[in-house]
Amino acid sequence: MTTPDLRAGAVLHADDGTGYRVEGPLAVGGFGTTYRAHRLSRAGNPTRAVCLKVCRSRHDWHGEAFFGRLLGEEPRVVRLLDAFVAATGAGARQRRRHVLVFELMTEGTVWEAVDDGRLPWPEKRVRNEIKGLLRVLARLHNAGVTHRDLKPDNVFLREGRLVLGDFGTTRMTLDPTHSFASVFAPDFAPREVLDRYRWGQADDVYQVGP
């Protein structure tokens, strides 16, 4: 695990002046580091707990910001609350951080729910929740988008319902049925993907199963 980029107490400001105060790291992944943070009022008082993500590159930031806005009204998706670039320093020493702010998923992921005994659910509930995720995928696929990273630690719980998150590997392509894929989780990918490095909509559906 790499060292977190931001220290507790650091404050980043969005384009409209809204401040976000970092409380501590949550996780380090391939596309960035997430932190527990608080949105601040104009007077500097905490108003809402959030998840703040510093992306590894501007390309990852652009992608997640785009899909977050695209799915902003979708109740089965982790909500994107803000997106901005925070700059510190000047001249050659200037540091730019590409920041995303999401709702804080306090109920955690499916993986965490399994670990602490909140699952399994009755079969009827499982079927209904999976149908909910498949409807989200159908909307993505109709727009030429594939998620490519559906696994237990990217599916969250909100009020006991499954919610899709982490769009770091998500892509929109002119040929979404079989587009090139170099980044994916091998343990949750079909064998054919490992052989040909091509990802299609059917591979998203496959990932819902494991």
Side-chain angles (χ1 to χ4, degrees):
M1 181 173 179
T2 59
T3 303
D5 182 56
L6 296 171
R7 295 182 179 180
V11 177
L12 302 181
H13 289 90
D15 295 347
D16 63 359
T18 301
Y20 295 93
R21 185 177 66 209
V22 175
E23 306 297 335
L26 289 173
V28 178
F31 293 91
T33 303
T34 56
Y35 303 84
R36 182 183 176 90
H38 275 94
R39 185 165 61 192
L40 304 177
S41 68
R42 294 296 181 183
N45 299 316
T47 61
R48 177 176 182 173
V50 297
C51 172
L52 186 149
K53 181 175 183 177
V54 178
C55 296
R56 293 248 183 265
S57 75
R58 68 181 185 276
H59 304 292
D60 300 332
W61 177 81
H62 276 295
E64 285 206 73
F66 172 78
F67 292 115
R69 298 299 187 197
L70 182 69
L71 297 165
E73 302 301 319
E74 172 55 59
R76 291 277 187 171
V77 170
V78 176
R79 298 187 187 98
L80 176 69
L81 305 176
D82 211 341
F84 58 93
V85 177
T88 57
R93 294 188 176 184
Q94 187 180 71
R95 175 76 180 277
R96 293 175 179 267
R97 293 182 175 90
H98 292 76
V99 181
L100 302 169
V101 181
F102 296 97
E103 64 175 311
L104 184 65
M105 306 303 289
T106 56
E107 296 176 51
T109 66
V110 167
W111 193 275
E112 291 166 336
V114 170
D115 278 348
D116 63 24
R118 283 178 283 153
L119 297 177
W121 288 339
E123 182 178 345
K124 182 178 180 180
R125 185 176 179 182
V126 172
R127 288 178 178 272
N128 288 337
E129 291 304 305
I130 289 178
K131 286 179 182 177
L133 287 186
L134 290 175
R135 282 192 287 269
V136 177
L137 284 182
R139 294 193 66 186
L140 289 171
H141 293 168
N142 287 338
V145 177
T146 47
H147 186 278
R148 305 182 180 213
D149 203 17
L150 284 157
K151 55 187 181 183
D153 50 359
N154 284 342
V155 179
F156 296 80
L157 293 165
R158 184 201 296 129
E159 297 178 354
R161 303 186 71 188
L162 297 182
V163 178
L164 184 59
D166 199 338
F167 291 84
T169 61
T170 301
R171 295 291 182 271
M172 176 180 282
T173 64
L174 295 177
D175 182 13
T177 55
H178 291 93
S179 59
F180 177 72
S182 60
V183 179
F184 50 84
D187 291 343
F188 296 93
R191 180 175 299 175
E192 291 79 7
V193 172
L194 302 177
D195 293 335
R196 53 185 167 82
Y197 286 85
R198 309 289 289 181
W199 196 278
Q201 296 173 345
D203 301 313
D204 274 352
V205 177
Y206 171 91
Q207 284 193 311
V208 176

